[in-house]
């Protein structure tokens, strides 16, 4: 029966061979690195404190950088508000020069004075155009637009109701935003 018992034993069920045990056992030299990898609590605390210090340093740097970006953005916005009109003002300076030149002339020629005013007006309208400022000047008979016109009076007229009869003062828009509506009179309903 011993033969059948030993034949039925698989390698897993067999008792360990003493020679195999010796070959698979670690030598004391191999066990030393594992023991060296085990750190003392003081070493772990020192490493963790160092890591905390590094993280605090990077946090403070990131916080300072964020504050600098915020401060620069506030300064840029303040400068943009302060100097937003600068380019428009540059276009108005020649108009001012022309007006001063017209006032300094002593000639009494009305025709030349009127021509000078017309040229100055063209300069002003050109400056308005460069500054994206457009004129609101509705024609007689145009439909009243409460977004661009302000009715001063309603007058009887032969025109269709709620149409512009006359323009008392031109209006202006800046970049499609109404700066001042045109002052108009409108036709009253019949």
């Amino acid at each position: 029966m011993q033969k059948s018992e030993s034949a039925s034993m698989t390698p897993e069920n067999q008792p360990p061979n003493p020679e195999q045990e010796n070959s698979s056992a670690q030598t004391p030299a191999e066990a030393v690195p594992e023991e060296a990898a085990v750190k003392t609590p003081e070493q772990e605390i020192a490493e963790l404190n160092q890591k905390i210090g590094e993280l605090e340093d990077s946090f403070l740097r990131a916080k300072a950088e964020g504050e600098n970006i915020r401060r620069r953005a506030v300064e840029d916005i303040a400068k943009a508000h302060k100097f937003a009109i600068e380019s428009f003002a540059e276009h108005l300076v020649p108009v001012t020069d022309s007006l001063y030149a017209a006032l300094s002339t002593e000639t009494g020629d009305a025709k030349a004075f009127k021509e000078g005013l017309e040229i100055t007006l063209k300069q002003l309208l050109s400056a308005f155009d460069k500054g994206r400022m457009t004129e609101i000047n509705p024609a007689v008979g145009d439909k009243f637009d409460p977004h661009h016109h302000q009715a001063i009076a309603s007058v009887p007229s032969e025109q269709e109701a709620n149409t512009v009869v006359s323009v008392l003062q031109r209006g202006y828009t800046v970049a499609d935003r109404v700066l001042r509506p045109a002052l108009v009179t409108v036709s009253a309903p019949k």
Side-chain angles (χ1 to χ4, degrees):
M1 282 202 159
Q2 281 184 342
K3 285 185 178 181
S4 64
E5 282 180 20
S6 63
S8 66
M9 285 187 139
T10 61
E12 297 97 25
N13 296 338
Q14 291 180 358
N17 186 353
E19 291 175 14
Q20 289 176 343
E21 277 185 33
N22 289 341
S23 66
S24 65
Q26 293 181 344
T27 62
E30 291 175 350
V32 172
E34 281 186 24
E35 290 176 12
V38 176
K39 299 175 186 170
T40 65
E42 291 81 15
Q43 288 174 330
E44 287 184 26
I45 290 172
E47 285 180 11
L48 291 174
N49 282 336
Q50 181 182 358
K51 188 166 240 165
I52 288 171
E54 290 171 2
L55 292 174
E56 282 178 342
D57 182 54
S58 64
F59 168 74
L60 291 175
R61 288 178 188 271
K63 184 178 177 184
E65 185 177 342
E67 285 297 316
N68 287 339
I69 290 170
R70 186 195 59 77
R71 182 185 45 80
R72 272 187 254 129
V74 167
E75 288 174 1
D76 289 346
I77 290 170
K79 285 179 184 176
H81 283 118
K82 187 176 182 180
F83 299 111
I85 196 165
E86 184 177 12
S87 67
F88 183 64
E90 287 175 357
H91 299 300
L92 290 179
V93 171
V95 177
T96 306
D97 293 340
S98 296
L99 289 172
Y100 279 126
L103 290 173
S104 67
T105 60
E106 297 295 328
T107 61
D109 186 7
K111 184 178 180 183
F113 190 73
K114 183 178 179 189
E115 286 175 4
L117 283 177
E118 288 172 348
I119 292 170
T120 304
L121 179 61
K122 285 180 184 177
Q123 281 181 318
L124 181 62
L125 293 176
S126 173
F128 283 177
D129 188 44
K130 290 174 185 171
R132 297 179 36 203
M133 187 169 165
T134 56
E135 200 173 64
I136 302 172
N137 187 18
V140 173
D142 283 355
K143 184 143 179 72
F144 175 74
D145 180 1
H147 300 291
H148 292 98
H149 309 146
Q150 182 176 349
I152 298 299
S154 181
V155 295
S157 172
E158 296 298 318
Q159 295 177 192
E160 184 180 327
N162 290 326
T163 57
V164 175
V165 174
S166 66
V167 178
L168 305 171
Q169 189 177 58
R170 295 174 185 196
Y172 295 93
T173 61
V174 175
D176 299 325
R177 185 175 181 183
V178 176
L179 179 64
R180 181 181 80 186
L183 300 179
V184 297
T185 57
V186 295
S187 60
K190 297 179 184 179

